[in-house]
Amino acid sequence: MPTTPRGARARLFLLGALFLGCAFVLSHRLFTYQFLEHDRFQRLASEGHRETIRIVPRRGALLAVGGHPLAVSVGMDAVQIVGKEVGNPQRTADALATTLQMPAAEILTKIDPRSDRPTIVKQRLTSALADQVAALNLRGVSLIQLPTRHYPEGSLAAQVLGFVGDEHKGLTGLELYFEDELAGRPGTLDTELDTGGQEIILGRRVLTPPKQGSDVVLTLDRFVQRTAERQLAEAVQQNKAIGGMILVMEPATGAILGMASWPTYTLSDAIEFVPQEQHLYKAVPVTNQYEPGSVMKVITMAAGLERGAVSPATTVNDRGIAQFGPTTIRNWDLRANGIISMTEVLARSSNIGAQYVADRIGRDEFYRAFSAFGFGQPTGVELPGEVPGTLRTPATADWAPVDLATNSFGQGIAVTPLQMLAAVAAIGNDGLLMRPTLVREFVSEGRVQRPEPHTVRRVIAPETARTLREMMTAVMEQPALEPHRIAGYRVAGKTGTADFPTNLGYTSGKTFASVTALLPADRPRLAILIRLDAPEKIYGGVVAAPILKRLGQELLAYYRIPPAPSGHSDGR
Amino acid sequence: MSSPVASRAAGWRLGPSTGLRIRPWRMVALALLALIVLAPSVYLAQTGGVLASGYTIQRLRAERNAWRVRNQQLELELAKSRSLAWIETEAITRLRMQPPIDRTIVRVDMPPPSPVAPPAPAVSNPTARFTSRTAP
């Protein structure tokens, strides 16, 4: 049937209108995509192939003197499985079990066929083992490199070093205290990836480099630490004690060379947090306080000598008993020593003599001196959880006049072992109190930062310190301690025995037996504190002095400190 | 031989034998065409080369990192072998060593150094320098 021109024109018009409509719709969509929603589509496109990769910085190492690594981070391979991608779970588990030396059943529990999230099967693989796993070429099984913390010296200085958690962040000890320095700052790489997940070289690439963690070189000497730990472990066992500690410090700088305490925990590479062992994770020498007992008489005597209240030749009539209101004070052996000099007050560890010195000083000056020695305030050492100790003064509400007497021989006052050692070390440093430190230097990306030793204050004059060291030498050279002398060396020291305080008073038969010493006496290179907790034989002179002899012999030989030429003096 | 002006006006000859003349604008058009055709190819070739080099760099970088990690792992093993605990165990169990029971310190009074060093003794036998000076 022939078409009329009119009908043809109408169809042409319709077709034209249709094309025009389509062109309009297309133009509208084009305008919308290119201009109105440009940013959204740009973002969607970027999300498809752009990725911001987090660059994890290397965690800094903790090093001992001489650069010996105590805690280091190393990347190690881990095996991960994406359950959804695994073809045959049983076959995969069997193949991995043989290579990883793990039960196949354990691996099977980690394969969830519905999960598309990777599950770690085993961490800390050696490179050789990782190569074996890769060679298996199992579907759904891949290797991932994770940073892991290692302790090459084992449990050495475990409580001081601390450890890191699963997220590679410090949880205790120096690992926690220096978290910011050790962790560094992560960087980022904003880049474009191809369909295979590989970076497109010609794509836009914005790199923010990471700041690697700083290495911290400690003042700890691994030989000193090891020797202290060994001597302590043997002493605890021999004396049937429940614990103890040995601290070694350099008096001139306050550098802590060794800090051993028992009981401790096992610091392994793959350490797991055990809530029952939480009390062992603390650096006890700074977190726990105790009554130091007779060791404190040295500080009382220092205050007395410095203020001119007494001299080494000053005498006191020790009747063995003194009354303070309702409170009676007695000597440790319940005996009267008669008329004795101040040197004998220290040698015989006379409570009555110490109380006499405190009385001569006067309460305000006495507590001023104790505060100057650092008691009642944290030392500032780089360890978490340090406590200030307890020093009651006339300004505090619960102070009583009898406290002046008891404090003079180390009772009614609580200090941390590190405070006590720092105070005695000040006597060895000619009267300068140094802040104890565990850090020798920070090494960050090639730059070395060495903090200077920090002098807190002068607590006594150099002459007073020398006089006091002579008196302390007399203590260690008394006949009762003769078997524990170090042949060829003069040692200044003081033993102490303090009762265990409880909520119901003091526990009879349980003591803190301790000794603090300066080696050699004339020019001290080492300050040492040894404490045993609840030993079978309760006195410091009996249990701590022998440890001092053994430890001193090893350390003097290690540091090549020559004996005194005459056998009595180091030839100052 | 025609002058340069005449040559430009008449176009360039392709060769003396062909007698074919090409107008300058055609020459330019041909060159442009060649450029348009060749440019993408050159660009693609260069891009491909850079991409290939980039992937090679990536692979080598990954390889270098892997070796670095292996090196660190070996250093860790070395540090563990140098640890005091390991040395003590080896000394006691394998070498059967014991801690010294007592120490003797000998003080030696050293003579002051002489101002002129004595001449070194002559060595007749070259192997003598590796032998002990003490009597057997």
Side-chain angles (χ1 to χ4, degrees), chain A residues 100-352:
Chain A
L100 298 177
Q101 306 277 307
M102 279 176 77
E106 190 184 334
I107 297 171
L108 210 53
T109 57
K110 296 186 178 180
I111 303 175
D112 179 3
R114 288 164 301 175
S115 172
D116 56 357
R117 297 185 61 166
T119 308
I120 301 284
V121 176
K122 191 170 184 178
Q123 294 188 49
R124 295 168 183 270
L125 266 62
T126 59
S127 296
L129 197 56
D131 287 346
Q132 285 178 35
V133 173
L136 291 174
N137 205 16
L138 296 167
R139 268 181 61 199
V141 178
S142 59
L143 292 164
I144 182 175
Q145 207 160 71
L146 298 173
T148 52
R149 200 68 166 163
H150 298 264
Y151 304 92
E153 295 282 345
S155 297
L156 193 80
Q159 290 175 332
V160 179
L161 299 182
F163 53 86
V164 297
D166 284 343
E167 293 175 347
H168 219 54
K169 285 183 179 171
L171 296 180
T172 63
L174 292 171
E175 295 273 26
L176 172 63
Y177 193 89
F178 287 120
E179 175 59 28
D180 290 344
E181 288 82 358
L182 292 167
R185 198 179 49 243
T188 53
L189 174 63
D190 186 16
T191 188
E192 293 177 35
L193 302 181
D194 62 17
T195 50
Q198 274 196 311
E199 192 186 346
I200 300 170
I201 297 302
L202 297 179
R204 199 171 66 88
R205 194 171 192 267
V206 182
L207 173 69
T208 309
K211 184 186 178 296
Q212 305 294 352
S214 302
D215 291 341
V216 184
V217 183
L218 305 177
T219 57
L220 288 182
D221 185 301
R222 64 176 191 155
F223 176 82
V224 177
Q225 182 70 27
R226 175 84 183 160
T227 307
E229 287 184 4
R230 182 164 38 80
Q231 293 287 356
L232 181 63
E234 286 172 13
V236 166
Q237 195 180 12
Q238 282 170 7
N239 292 286
K240 297 186 174 74
I242 60 168
M245 62 188 65
I246 294 179
L247 311 182
V248 184
M249 186 191 275
E250 200 175 58
T253 61
I256 297 167
L257 306 172
M259 186 181 265
S261 49
W262 183 271
T264 184
Y265 62 97
T266 305
L267 185 57
S268 60
D269 287 351
I271 186 165
E272 285 181 12
F273 183 83
V274 182
Q276 292 80 14
E277 290 187 356
Q278 208 166 345
H279 64 286
L280 300 178
Y281 299 149
K282 296 187 295 181
V284 180
V286 300
T287 60
N288 290 15
Q289 56 183 16
Y290 75 117
E291 290 194 6
S294 297
V295 172
M296 193 58 95
K297 286 170 185 160
V298 173
I299 308 302
T300 302
M301 198 59 74
L305 293 172
E306 181 68 9
R307 282 153 183 77
V310 291
S311 73
T314 303
T315 55
V316 59
N317 187 6
D318 177 0
R319 294 191 176 90
I321 191 166
Q323 200 67 34
F324 279 84
T327 311
T328 304
I329 288 173
R330 291 188 173 86
N331 281 330
W332 62 274
D333 54 1
L334 308 177
R335 287 184 187 168
N337 290 304
I339 296 172
I340 52 172
S341 67
M342 288 300 115
T343 304
E344 286 173 301
V345 165
L346 286 184
R348 298 187 187 193
S349 203
S350 164
N351 291 348
I352 304 301

Side-chain angles (χ1 to χ4, degrees), chain A residues 69 72 74-76 127 131 145 150 152-153 194 198-199 201-202 205 222-223 226 269 489 554 563, chain B residues 47 50-51 54-55 58 61 65 69-70 72-73 76 79-80 82-85 87-88 102-103 105 107:
Chain A
V72 287
V74 175
M76 297 201 92
S127 296
D131 287 346
Q145 207 160 71
H150 298 264
E153 295 282 345
D194 62 17
Q198 274 196 311
E199 192 186 346
I201 297 302
L202 297 179
R205 194 171 192 267
R222 64 176 191 155
F223 176 82
R226 175 84 183 160
D269 287 351
Y489 293 90
E554 292 207 42
Chain B
T47 311
V50 169
L51 277 173
Y55 284 124
Q58 270 188 354
R61 200 178 281 165
N65 287 343
V69 169
R70 284 192 177 208
Q72 286 174 358
Q73 290 174 0
L76 175 67
K80 283 182 177 175
R82 283 177 177 165
S83 73
L84 289 178
I87 292 169
E88 266 185 30
D102 208 354
R103 289 180 177 81
I105 297 166
R107 180 175 286 278

Side-chain angles (χ1 to χ4, degrees), chain B residues 12-120:
Chain B
W12 281 287
R13 288 170 191 273
L14 280 182
S17 58
T18 57
L20 193 65
R21 289 170 188 277
I22 300 175
R23 302 271 178 202
W25 66 269
R26 283 186 180 162
M27 203 62 183
V28 171
L30 271 173
L32 275 174
L33 191 68
L35 199 69
I36 290 166
V37 171
L38 287 176
S41 311
V42 171
Y43 173 76
L44 279 175
Q46 278 189 336
T47 311
V50 169
L51 277 173
S53 302
Y55 284 124
T56 308
I57 290 169
Q58 270 188 354
R59 185 176 51 77
L60 290 172
R61 200 178 281 165
E63 211 170 299
R64 183 188 63 182
N65 287 343
W67 282 111
R68 271 189 185 157
V69 169
R70 284 192 177 208
N71 200 37
Q72 286 174 358
Q73 290 174 0
L74 286 172
E75 279 175 3
L76 175 67
E77 289 305 311
L78 199 63
K80 283 182 177 175
S81 300
R82 283 177 177 165
S83 73
L84 289 178
W86 173 261
I87 292 169
E88 266 185 30
T89 309
E90 285 289 290
I92 294 167
T93 57
R94 198 162 63 83
L95 303 174
R96 306 207 177 281
M97 293 172 86
Q98 288 184 345
I101 297 164
D102 208 354
R103 289 180 177 81
T104 305
I105 297 166
V106 180
R107 180 175 286 278
V108 181
D109 294 323
M110 297 290 287
S114 56
V116 181

Side-chain angles (χ1 to χ4, degrees), chain A residues 59 263 298 402 480 508:
Chain A
R59 188 176 176 84
V298 173
V402 73
S508 59

